[in-house]
Structures are given as structure tokens and as C-alpha cells.
Amino acid sequence: MATKMATRIFGSQEQLKTDCTSCTEWFERFTSFTTANQLFIEEVDDRARRSNVEVFITYCSPETYSLIKSLVSPETPLEKTFEELKTLLCNHLEPKPAKTFQRYLFSNCQQKPDQTVADYIAELRTIAQKCSFGFSEFEERIKDQFVHGMSNTKKKKVPTATLR
């Protein structure tokens, strides 16, 4: 008689909820979690594909599962691949923002009175990620807006080396 050995799970993964702050980031963490714990298998056939979807569904809240069912209707979630479900959910929960509006938010981002320099830089980087700046333009725009949006003019003497 074969005995089944317990498998140790590394880390933890919260459920995907419809009000998550970043669907993309949740899927990045979920992919790392499933890779570290070898929960997904190579999709060589329908059985493997279905198994991966079943693992994913167990990490969805009831509200998220209902949303998935609505998005794939009249099909069922098990008729889709993990990648198809991921794309559907991210497009629904995190629609692509308009580049022009994101750049407006970026150029109007000011340091809050109680915000540290490090937190202000992090906020600028978060907003800039949605602005479609080119690689070389990204750092330059961060530096410019950092100086422009500082709340204390004395702090504007901070060397730009602290930005990275």
C-alpha cells in the first residue's frame, strides 16, 4: 500500500478578490507561489490545463469566482486556460488607463506635507509606470517631477543620486 507524503507549502497566497489593488501584481505573486510549490503542471493535455485552472480557482474569493463565471459565460471557467482567465480578469479589474490622463496625474503629483522623500519617490514611480515613458525618459521624468513636486524648497537641494 502506497502512503502519501505530506507536501510542505512555502509561503502563503491570499485569495484574489474583486477589490484587489493590483490584479497584475496578485498574478505575479501567485505565479511565484505556484512555481515555488510546484502546484502547476506543464499544460500538455486537457487534463493538465484543467488541473491548473482548478488550482487557480481555489485561490479566488467567492465574488471573484462569480465574476469569472460571468466573464466566460456561456462557457465555464474549466473550459478556459489559466492564461485566458488571467487576461480576462486583469482586463476587467484593471483596465488600461489612458496614457494622457496618467501623465496628467504624474505631472501634478506633489509631495504631501507629512510624506517622506522616499515615499514621495515611490509614489512617483508607481504613477510613472502607467505613463508609457520610454526607458531612458523614465528616470529623467522622475527626477524632474521629484524636484518640481517637493513641498519644502530647502529639500530641493537633495542630490539626485538619492533618487536611485
Side-chain angles (χ1 to χ4, degrees):
M1 177 159 99
T3 58
K4 191 172 185 178
M5 296 185 63
T7 304
R8 180 170 184 218
I9 298 291
F10 298 102
S12 63
Q13 177 68 40
E14 76 278 2
Q15 286 187 324
L16 175 59
K17 297 181 179 176
T18 55
D19 64 349
C20 70
T21 55
S22 173
C23 186
T24 304
E25 288 181 9
W26 186 92
F27 275 104
E28 288 171 0
R29 291 190 318 276
F30 181 73
T31 301
S32 294
F33 177 75
T34 56
T35 300
N37 291 292
Q38 300 175 352
L39 297 176
F40 272 15
I41 52 180
E42 187 177 340
E43 293 187 4
V44 292
D45 58 21
D46 283 343
R47 186 170 180 226
R49 181 197 52 75
R50 183 181 174 117
S51 176
N52 290 345
V53 170
E54 288 170 340
V55 168
F56 164 64
I57 287 172
T58 64
Y59 285 91
C60 293
S61 70
E63 296 81 15
T64 303
Y65 182 67
S66 292
L67 175 60
I68 292 168
K69 286 178 65 173
S70 297
L71 293 173
V72 301
S73 182
E75 295 176 280
T76 68
L78 294 176
E79 294 175 74
K80 298 291 186 184
T81 66
F82 169 73
E83 287 299 323
E84 289 171 329
L85 294 177
K86 174 181 168 181
T87 300
L88 280 170
L89 275 173
C90 285
N91 287 344
H92 181 81
L93 296 175
E94 209 173 72
K96 285 239 183 254
K99 179 173 70 173
T100 304
F101 181 68
Q102 290 303 313
R103 289 184 176 198
Y104 166 80
L105 292 176
F106 178 79
S107 64
N108 285 296
C109 183
Q110 302 287 313
Q111 183 185 19
K112 293 158 189 69
D114 60 341
Q115 191 175 34
T116 66
V117 169
D119 286 344
Y120 177 53
I121 293 169
E123 181 180 7
L124 286 174
R125 288 186 173 285
T126 299
I127 297 169
Q129 289 175 352
K130 299 175 184 173
C131 292
S132 302
F133 295 136
F135 182 76
S136 59
E137 183 183 11
F138 187 87
E139 290 300 324
E140 200 61 36
R141 295 293 296 263
I142 295 284
K143 290 175 187 175
D144 291 346
Q145 187 58 36
F146 170 75
V147 173
H148 175 74
M150 292 283 296
S151 62
N152 184 340
T153 54
K154 290 180 184 176
K155 289 182 185 176
K156 289 186 181 183
K157 294 179 183 174
V158 173
T160 55
T162 60
L163 288 174
R164 213 24 164 157

